[in-house]
Structure formats: structure tokens, C-alpha cells
Amino acid sequence: MKAVRFIGINQPLQQQDIPVPEIGDRDILVKVKAAGVCHSDAHYRAGISPVRPVPLTLGHEVAGVVEKIGSQVGNVKVGDRVALHYNLTCGDCYHCSTGNDQFCENVLMIGHFTNGGYAEYIAVPARNAIPLPDEIPFEQGATLMCASATAFHALRKSRIQGGETVAIFGAGGLGQSAIQLAKAFGAIEVYAVDINEDKLDLARQHGAIPVNAKKVDPVSEIKRLTKNKGVNVAIEMIGLPQTMKQALQVAGVMARVVIVGLSNKSIEIQTYTELLGNEVELIGSNDHHLQELPLLVDLARRKILDTSHIVTRTIPLDADAINSALDDLEQFGGDVRTVIVPASNQADA
């Protein structure tokens, strides 16, 4: 089968022909219908987050159709539409048994530590298959598994309550989901911070108040809009030290600041003025849980979370096209989410 693979840090991904993966008794083989191109993939290519083993097929946002099942699989059948939870876990360790499966002692993330979805087929344990309703296109189902799921988990970590105000830094794939989910959780105002007008326009359509950081200082603007109170929840989804600092600086009394964006750079915190004085909490949010995904998919099915505008471009399973999409992400380009649709699968997608 055709696959597009990571071959080394700061090197373009390379198209290779590799065997269709074998499956075990509890596994499934999925024909990939859609694979999202995530900002994390750009981080992997750049060496910000190590990839192993090398070479490796990237792609952790995956949706498709079950092609083959193992002898002990009972939760899905051949022909089912599924989206895939990207953390392959043991299900038995302390973290799995307490619902924090992203910290499984034996976790392997597809597209990071085991082969992912930039390919025509992928094999995963059957427990990682989330039923994908007919109402949700494969392209949107794929992005639910990372962009929307990460936003959902971050909001749950924030302990958001009805009537609170929220600032979201970054209006890309994660941010657009976070805006809608914050509204669904009862946020009375959501401020979306970005430098891209198209993304801010979409944020406005989703009910947010756009703040263009190219035109105004976002901290001063959000303080002005909140009558100097700041927000109850701030979520940073970009991964830049500057925006992490800004998220802290817009936090009001007893606010929760959640850091989602990946970065290998540190930030300096004024411990009294930015944390202790107002009892602000700084929270890290890492991935999401398997148990969160069925509810997230149902929110999308019911259009409470509208993912129809999140996928702004589809590309073929082609190394040049994928490398170009990753280049755009490194430059914080205009597309909200780019999704790979393998050419062999387009006709029946």
C-alpha cells in the first residue's frame, strides 16, 4: 500500500510502498477515508517532539471503514464507519483503570510511536474504533479525533461553568471547536484571539467575539471588553510563549488557564501578580480520553458542535501536498484544517 512517512528531523516526508498491516485477534484493519493534517505533525517533522521508530507513517486523525476484523472482535463489523482514538493503550494499568488512559504505561500514539493514517490502510485494536454516524462525513470525523477531542478535554479540565467568560488563543481547528464547546457548556462570552481574519470571521459565526492580535494588544482589549475583570477561563491553543503569557495576563480572579499548544520553549511567570494574587490556576491539558469520544461524536451528530466549516481543504495522499500543508502550519497559515483523502478511496467516501 501507499504511505507517506517521516524519515528524519527537518526532512520532507517521503512516499513509500509498504505492506498492508497484519491484524491480531482483537484488532481491526481500517481502509482510510480521511486523515487530518495536524499542527503536531509539523512539530514531529521539526523535531520538537521526537518520533520513533524511524521511518514512521504519520497521521493520528483518522476515519474510515472497517475492512477486516480479528477473530475475537465483537464491537464492530466489516463495513462499519469508524473514527479512531489515536492512543493505543493496554486497558489494564492504573491509569487506564482510572480513566486517564493517555498516561497508560504502555501507550503508543498512532502517527507518533506507531504507524498512523497517512496511508491507505491502518491496523488498530478494536477498542479504539468509535462508531461514526452517517450524518458525519469522514473528513469531519477524522478531525473530531484530535482537534475537537483535544478542545473538549481542555474545556473539561478548565471546569468551565455556565455564565463564565472564556478567552481562546488560536482560532484554528482546535480553537473553532473550543469556541462552540465553550458555548455549549454555558459560556456567556467567548473571546477568540488570532491574527488571521478568515479564522476570526469563522469564530464570529460560531458566536465568539473576535480579537485580532495584529491590530490590537489582546490583553488590553480583553481587559477593556470585560471592564478590567479578565476572564474566568483562558485556553492557549497555539504553542507560543507570547500567547501563553497573554493567556495568563487576561485571567481574572480565581480563573483557570489551560495550556494546550505544544512548545519546547519556556515562559516566565510573575508568581504573585499572575498566579497567587488572584488565585489563578495554571493547568496543562494533554490529549484526551477514550471515554470522552462517544459524547463528542454525539455532539457533532446533533450539530451542537458544527464541524462543517473546520475542514477547509482536502488533499490527496501525496508527499508533496502533505509537506506543503505542514509548511503552511509552521507559518500559521490560513487553512483551519487540511485533510488527506486517499485517491483510491474518494469514489466511495
Side-chain angles (χ1 to χ4, degrees):
M1 69 174 184
K2 183 163 64 175
V4 174
R5 316 192 82 199
F6 173 88
I7 59 169
I9 294 172
N10 290 324
Q11 296 186 53
L13 303 188
Q14 185 180 99
Q15 190 164 299
Q16 298 179 354
D17 288 325
I18 62 174
V20 174
E22 300 290 334
I23 62 169
D25 291 342
R26 297 178 180 272
D27 300 334
I28 60 173
L29 181 69
V30 174
K31 186 176 185 180
V32 176
K33 298 292 188 181
V37 180
C38 178
H39 209 135
S40 297
D41 297 328
H43 290 317
Y44 301 156
R45 191 182 63 168
I48 293 174
S49 182
V51 170
R52 63 177 187 271
V54 179
L56 187 86
T57 306
L58 297 190
H60 56 273
E61 300 182 355
V62 187
V65 172
V66 178
E67 183 90 356
K68 185 179 179 182
I69 65 173
S71 61
Q72 296 183 33
V73 172
N75 62 316
V76 295
K77 62 184 185 300
V78 172
D80 281 357
R81 305 172 86 253
V82 294
L84 303 182
H85 176 45
Y86 61 57
N87 280 331
L88 310 186
T89 58
C90 71
D92 297 321
C93 69
Y94 172 79
H95 294 299
C96 285
S97 63
T98 54
N100 298 300
D101 51 288
Q102 80 270 45
F103 300 116
C104 172
E105 296 165 10
N106 301 297
V107 65
L108 290 174
M109 180 180 176
I110 65 174
H112 194 187
F113 300 126
T114 188
N115 284 326
Y118 288 7
E120 294 177 301
Y121 294 93
I122 184 172
V124 297
R127 68 192 300 269
N128 283 70
I130 309 299
L132 186 65
D134 291 340
E135 297 94 324
I136 303 176
F138 289 111
E139 294 88 346
Q140 296 174 33
T143 64
L144 283 173
M145 294 297 99
C146 177
S148 299
T150 301
F152 186 59
H153 183 68
L155 282 161
R156 292 187 71 206
K157 291 282 290 184
S158 78
R159 307 190 309 280
I160 184 174
Q161 300 179 52
E164 291 191 318
T165 55
V166 180
I168 294 171
F169 289 80
L174 278 78
Q176 298 296 338
S177 292
I179 290 164
Q180 296 178 72
L181 291 167
K183 286 285 191 177
F185 291 163
I188 197 167
E189 294 286 12
V190 178
Y191 304 97
V193 181
D194 208 289
I195 60 174
N196 183 285
E197 278 293 352
D198 291 338
K199 293 178 181 179
L200 290 171
D201 285 343
L202 183 55
R204 184 185 291 106
Q205 293 175 41
H206 288 147
I209 297 171
V211 177
N212 190 328
K214 262 188 176 178
K215 298 179 178 178
V216 296
D217 171 57
V219 175
S220 299
E221 181 67 3
I222 290 173
K223 288 289 185 71
R224 182 186 71 81
L225 292 169
T226 59
K227 296 181 171 55
N228 213 40
K229 291 180 179 179
V231 295
N232 303 111
V233 172
I235 301 181
E236 199 281 341
M237 299 185 136
I238 300 172
L240 294 175
Q242 179 184 3
T243 49
M244 292 179 186
K245 283 287 291 182
Q246 290 170 346
L248 275 166
Q249 291 166 349
V250 300
V253 173
M254 298 185 71
R256 287 84 66 201
V257 179
V258 184
I259 303 298
V260 181
L262 292 177
S263 176
N264 60 355
K265 298 178 181 178
S266 61
I267 62 171
E268 184 177 285
I269 298 174
Q270 300 298 323
T271 53
Y272 183 76
T273 58
E274 294 177 349
L275 285 181
L276 306 183
N278 285 333
E279 291 197 356
V280 171
E281 298 178 46
L282 181 60
I283 301 168
S285 182
N286 181 20
D287 285 339
H288 53 273
H289 301 153
L290 174 62
Q291 65 187 18
E292 293 171 330
L293 296 178
L295 174 56
L296 179 67
V297 169
D298 197 46
L299 290 171
R301 182 184 67 82
R302 296 171 183 271
K303 301 300 184 185
I304 295 169
L305 171 63
D306 181 5
T307 57
S308 63
H309 299 292
I310 288 178
V311 178
T312 50
R313 178 171 59 151
T314 59
I315 58 175
L317 181 61
D318 173 81
D320 289 341
I322 296 171
N323 280 309
S324 178
L326 293 173
D327 293 342
D328 288 345
L329 284 171
E330 287 183 333
Q331 299 301 317
F332 299 95
D335 287 313
V336 175
R337 212 57 163 188
T338 297
V339 175
I340 300 160
V341 179
S344 60
N345 295 342
Q346 286 180 352
D348 53 353

mmCIF file of all heavy atoms in Angstrom, residues 74-98:
data_model
loop_
_atom_site.group_PDB
_atom_site.id
_atom_site.type_symbol
_atom_site.label_atom_id
_atom_site.label_comp_id
_atom_site.label_asym_id
_atom_site.label_seq_id
_atom_site.Cartn_x
_atom_site.Cartn_y
_atom_site.Cartn_z
ATOM 1 N N GLY A 74 -15.895 -8.103 18.629
ATOM 2 C CA GLY A 74 -17.347 -8.129 18.636
ATOM 3 C C GLY A 74 -18.011 -6.772 18.631
ATOM 4 O O GLY A 74 -19.230 -6.672 18.454
ATOM 5 N N ASN A 75 -17.217 -5.700 18.795
ATOM 6 C CA ASN A 75 -17.827 -4.367 18.909
ATOM 7 C C ASN A 75 -18.038 -3.688 17.563
ATOM 8 O O ASN A 75 -18.803 -2.727 17.462
ATOM 9 C CB ASN A 75 -16.973 -3.470 19.811
ATOM 10 C CG ASN A 75 -15.574 -3.237 19.265
ATOM 11 O OD1 ASN A 75 -14.936 -4.169 18.798
ATOM 12 N ND2 ASN A 75 -15.102 -2.004 19.343
ATOM 13 N N VAL A 76 -17.360 -4.157 16.503
ATOM 14 C CA VAL A 76 -17.558 -3.609 15.161
ATOM 15 C C VAL A 76 -17.596 -4.759 14.161
ATOM 16 O O VAL A 76 -17.164 -5.878 14.467
ATOM 17 C CB VAL A 76 -16.447 -2.605 14.759
ATOM 18 C CG1 VAL A 76 -16.474 -1.368 15.633
ATOM 19 C CG2 VAL A 76 -15.078 -3.284 14.804
ATOM 20 N N LYS A 77 -18.080 -4.467 12.970
ATOM 21 C CA LYS A 77 -18.119 -5.478 11.909
ATOM 22 C C LYS A 77 -17.584 -4.882 10.613
ATOM 23 O O LYS A 77 -17.475 -3.647 10.477
ATOM 24 C CB LYS A 77 -19.537 -6.008 11.721
ATOM 25 C CG LYS A 77 -20.557 -4.972 11.280
ATOM 26 C CD LYS A 77 -21.946 -5.580 11.212
ATOM 27 C CE LYS A 77 -22.973 -4.595 10.646
ATOM 28 N NZ LYS A 77 -23.087 -3.375 11.450
ATOM 29 N N VAL A 78 -17.253 -5.730 9.680
ATOM 30 C CA VAL A 78 -16.760 -5.279 8.384
ATOM 31 C C VAL A 78 -17.804 -4.366 7.737
ATOM 32 O O VAL A 78 -19.002 -4.663 7.733
ATOM 33 C CB VAL A 78 -16.453 -6.483 7.473
ATOM 34 C CG1 VAL A 78 -16.132 -6.017 6.060
ATOM 35 C CG2 VAL A 78 -15.291 -7.296 8.032
ATOM 36 N N GLY A 79 -17.342 -3.230 7.219
ATOM 37 C CA GLY A 79 -18.228 -2.259 6.587
ATOM 38 C C GLY A 79 -18.645 -1.113 7.480
ATOM 39 O O GLY A 79 -19.203 -0.120 6.996
ATOM 40 N N ASP A 80 -18.382 -1.215 8.788
ATOM 41 C CA ASP A 80 -18.755 -0.135 9.702
ATOM 42 C C ASP A 80 -17.922 1.114 9.445
ATOM 43 O O ASP A 80 -16.711 1.035 9.174
ATOM 44 C CB ASP A 80 -18.552 -0.563 11.156
ATOM 45 C CG ASP A 80 -19.661 -1.448 11.678
ATOM 46 O OD1 ASP A 80 -20.632 -1.685 10.932
ATOM 47 O OD2 ASP A 80 -19.562 -1.907 12.832
ATOM 48 N N ARG A 81 -18.583 2.270 9.573
ATOM 49 C CA ARG A 81 -17.877 3.552 9.533
ATOM 50 C C ARG A 81 -17.335 3.828 10.927
ATOM 51 O O ARG A 81 -18.082 3.751 11.914
ATOM 52 C CB ARG A 81 -18.819 4.696 9.125
ATOM 53 C CG ARG A 81 -19.530 4.475 7.815
ATOM 54 C CD ARG A 81 -20.590 5.556 7.580
ATOM 55 N NE ARG A 81 -20.046 6.752 6.943
ATOM 56 C CZ ARG A 81 -19.848 7.906 7.539
ATOM 57 N NH1 ARG A 81 -20.158 8.063 8.815
ATOM 58 N NH2 ARG A 81 -19.362 8.948 6.874
ATOM 59 N N VAL A 82 -16.054 4.175 11.032
ATOM 60 C CA VAL A 82 -15.444 4.406 12.334
ATOM 61 C C VAL A 82 -14.480 5.588 12.279
ATOM 62 O O VAL A 82 -13.930 5.916 11.223
ATOM 63 C CB VAL A 82 -14.679 3.161 12.842
ATOM 64 C CG1 VAL A 82 -15.636 2.013 13.129
ATOM 65 C CG2 VAL A 82 -13.590 2.730 11.865
ATOM 66 N N ALA A 83 -14.308 6.213 13.421
ATOM 67 C CA ALA A 83 -13.196 7.131 13.648
ATOM 68 C C ALA A 83 -12.315 6.471 14.704
ATOM 69 O O ALA A 83 -12.805 5.665 15.507
ATOM 70 C CB ALA A 83 -13.705 8.492 14.123
ATOM 71 N N LEU A 84 -11.034 6.804 14.719
ATOM 72 C CA LEU A 84 -10.091 6.062 15.553
ATOM 73 C C LEU A 84 -9.496 6.918 16.664
ATOM 74 O O LEU A 84 -8.934 7.991 16.413
ATOM 75 C CB LEU A 84 -8.952 5.497 14.689
ATOM 76 C CG LEU A 84 -9.371 4.592 13.525
ATOM 77 C CD1 LEU A 84 -8.133 4.073 12.807
ATOM 78 C CD2 LEU A 84 -10.257 3.445 13.997
ATOM 79 N N HIS A 85 -9.645 6.428 17.885
ATOM 80 C CA HIS A 85 -8.933 7.016 19.021
ATOM 81 C C HIS A 85 -7.448 6.744 18.833
ATOM 82 O O HIS A 85 -7.040 5.600 18.604
ATOM 83 C CB HIS A 85 -9.435 6.380 20.317
ATOM 84 C CG HIS A 85 -8.722 6.839 21.551
ATOM 85 N ND1 HIS A 85 -8.432 8.161 21.803
ATOM 86 C CD2 HIS A 85 -8.231 6.144 22.617
ATOM 87 C CE1 HIS A 85 -7.819 8.274 22.968
ATOM 88 N NE2 HIS A 85 -7.677 7.074 23.474
ATOM 89 N N TYR A 86 -6.620 7.792 18.915
ATOM 90 C CA TYR A 86 -5.232 7.631 18.487
ATOM 91 C C TYR A 86 -4.289 7.059 19.525
ATOM 92 O O TYR A 86 -3.148 6.707 19.211
ATOM 93 C CB TYR A 86 -4.673 8.917 17.897
ATOM 94 C CG TYR A 86 -4.609 10.141 18.788
ATOM 95 C CD1 TYR A 86 -3.927 10.155 19.992
ATOM 96 C CD2 TYR A 86 -5.205 11.334 18.369
ATOM 97 C CE1 TYR A 86 -3.837 11.286 20.763
ATOM 98 C CE2 TYR A 86 -5.133 12.484 19.122
ATOM 99 C CZ TYR A 86 -4.437 12.461 20.324
ATOM 100 O OH TYR A 86 -4.352 13.598 21.084
ATOM 101 N N ASN A 87 -4.700 6.921 20.767
ATOM 102 C CA ASN A 87 -3.828 6.327 21.777
ATOM 103 C C ASN A 87 -4.126 4.840 21.924
ATOM 104 O O ASN A 87 -5.232 4.455 22.327
ATOM 105 C CB ASN A 87 -3.998 7.018 23.131
ATOM 106 C CG ASN A 87 -3.240 8.325 23.217
ATOM 107 O OD1 ASN A 87 -2.215 8.491 22.560
ATOM 108 N ND2 ASN A 87 -3.718 9.251 24.032
ATOM 109 N N LEU A 88 -3.148 4.013 21.579
ATOM 110 C CA LEU A 88 -3.291 2.579 21.747
ATOM 111 C C LEU A 88 -2.819 2.227 23.153
ATOM 112 O O LEU A 88 -1.648 2.410 23.489
ATOM 113 C CB LEU A 88 -2.452 1.827 20.707
ATOM 114 C CG LEU A 88 -2.608 2.268 19.239
ATOM 115 C CD1 LEU A 88 -1.834 1.320 18.333
ATOM 116 C CD2 LEU A 88 -4.071 2.333 18.835
ATOM 117 N N THR A 89 -3.724 1.772 23.994
ATOM 118 C CA THR A 89 -3.431 1.567 25.413
ATOM 119 C C THR A 89 -3.694 0.117 25.816
ATOM 120 O O THR A 89 -4.368 -0.635 25.109
ATOM 121 C CB THR A 89 -4.292 2.503 26.275
ATOM 122 O OG1 THR A 89 -5.682 2.256 25.999
ATOM 123 C CG2 THR A 89 -3.979 3.966 25.959
ATOM 124 N N CYS A 90 -3.180 -0.257 27.011
ATOM 125 C CA CYS A 90 -3.310 -1.644 27.463
ATOM 126 C C CYS A 90 -4.684 -1.930 28.047
ATOM 127 O O CYS A 90 -5.171 -3.055 27.997
ATOM 128 C CB CYS A 90 -2.218 -1.963 28.476
ATOM 129 S SG CYS A 90 -2.426 -1.152 30.092
ATOM 130 N N GLY A 91 -5.332 -0.886 28.635
ATOM 131 C CA GLY A 91 -6.640 -1.073 29.250
ATOM 132 C C GLY A 91 -6.597 -1.648 30.645
ATOM 133 O O GLY A 91 -7.639 -1.741 31.314
ATOM 134 N N ASP A 92 -5.411 -2.017 31.143
ATOM 135 C CA ASP A 92 -5.318 -2.734 32.418
ATOM 136 C C ASP A 92 -4.515 -2.023 33.491
ATOM 137 O O ASP A 92 -4.662 -2.338 34.673
ATOM 138 C CB ASP A 92 -4.688 -4.119 32.192
ATOM 139 C CG ASP A 92 -5.537 -4.996 31.294
ATOM 140 O OD1 ASP A 92 -6.769 -4.958 31.433
ATOM 141 O OD2 ASP A 92 -4.958 -5.708 30.444
ATOM 142 N N CYS A 93 -3.646 -1.094 33.111
ATOM 143 C CA CYS A 93 -2.776 -0.456 34.105
ATOM 144 C C CYS A 93 -3.567 0.522 34.970
ATOM 145 O O CYS A 93 -4.756 0.773 34.749
ATOM 146 C CB CYS A 93 -1.618 0.259 33.410
ATOM 147 S SG CYS A 93 -2.119 1.734 32.469
ATOM 148 N N TYR A 94 -2.901 1.111 35.963
ATOM 149 C CA TYR A 94 -3.558 2.031 36.894
ATOM 150 C C TYR A 94 -4.209 3.194 36.161
ATOM 151 O O TYR A 94 -5.370 3.534 36.405
ATOM 152 C CB TYR A 94 -2.543 2.557 37.919
ATOM 153 C CG TYR A 94 -3.101 3.654 38.799
ATOM 154 C CD1 TYR A 94 -3.923 3.355 39.871
ATOM 155 C CD2 TYR A 94 -2.819 4.990 38.525
ATOM 156 C CE1 TYR A 94 -4.450 4.364 40.671
ATOM 157 C CE2 TYR A 94 -3.343 6.005 39.318
ATOM 158 C CZ TYR A 94 -4.152 5.690 40.387
ATOM 159 O OH TYR A 94 -4.684 6.689 41.158
ATOM 160 N N HIS A 95 -3.485 3.805 35.237
ATOM 161 C CA HIS A 95 -4.021 4.983 34.555
ATOM 162 C C HIS A 95 -5.208 4.616 33.666
ATOM 163 O O HIS A 95 -6.195 5.358 33.596
ATOM 164 C CB HIS A 95 -2.920 5.662 33.736
ATOM 165 C CG HIS A 95 -1.832 6.246 34.578
ATOM 166 N ND1 HIS A 95 -2.061 7.230 35.515
ATOM 167 C CD2 HIS A 95 -0.495 5.970 34.636
ATOM 168 C CE1 HIS A 95 -0.923 7.546 36.107
ATOM 169 N NE2 HIS A 95 0.034 6.795 35.593
ATOM 170 N N CYS A 96 -5.138 3.484 32.984
ATOM 171 C CA CYS A 96 -6.273 3.051 32.163
ATOM 172 C C CYS A 96 -7.490 2.767 33.035
ATOM 173 O O CYS A 96 -8.617 3.143 32.703
ATOM 174 C CB CYS A 96 -5.909 1.802 31.364
ATOM 175 S SG CYS A 96 -4.820 2.104 29.956
ATOM 176 N N SER A 97 -7.266 2.109 34.164
ATOM 177 C CA SER A 97 -8.392 1.714 35.015
ATOM 178 C C SER A 97 -9.018 2.890 35.743
ATOM 179 O O SER A 97 -10.160 2.794 36.200
ATOM 180 C CB SER A 97 -7.947 0.651 36.027
ATOM 181 O OG SER A 97 -6.962 1.167 36.906
ATOM 182 N N THR A 98 -8.300 4.023 35.830
ATOM 183 C CA THR A 98 -8.864 5.211 36.477
ATOM 184 C C THR A 98 -9.362 6.238 35.470
ATOM 185 O O THR A 98 -9.698 7.362 35.839
ATOM 186 C CB THR A 98 -7.820 5.869 37.404
ATOM 187 O OG1 THR A 98 -6.622 6.138 36.663
ATOM 188 C CG2 THR A 98 -7.506 4.966 38.588
#
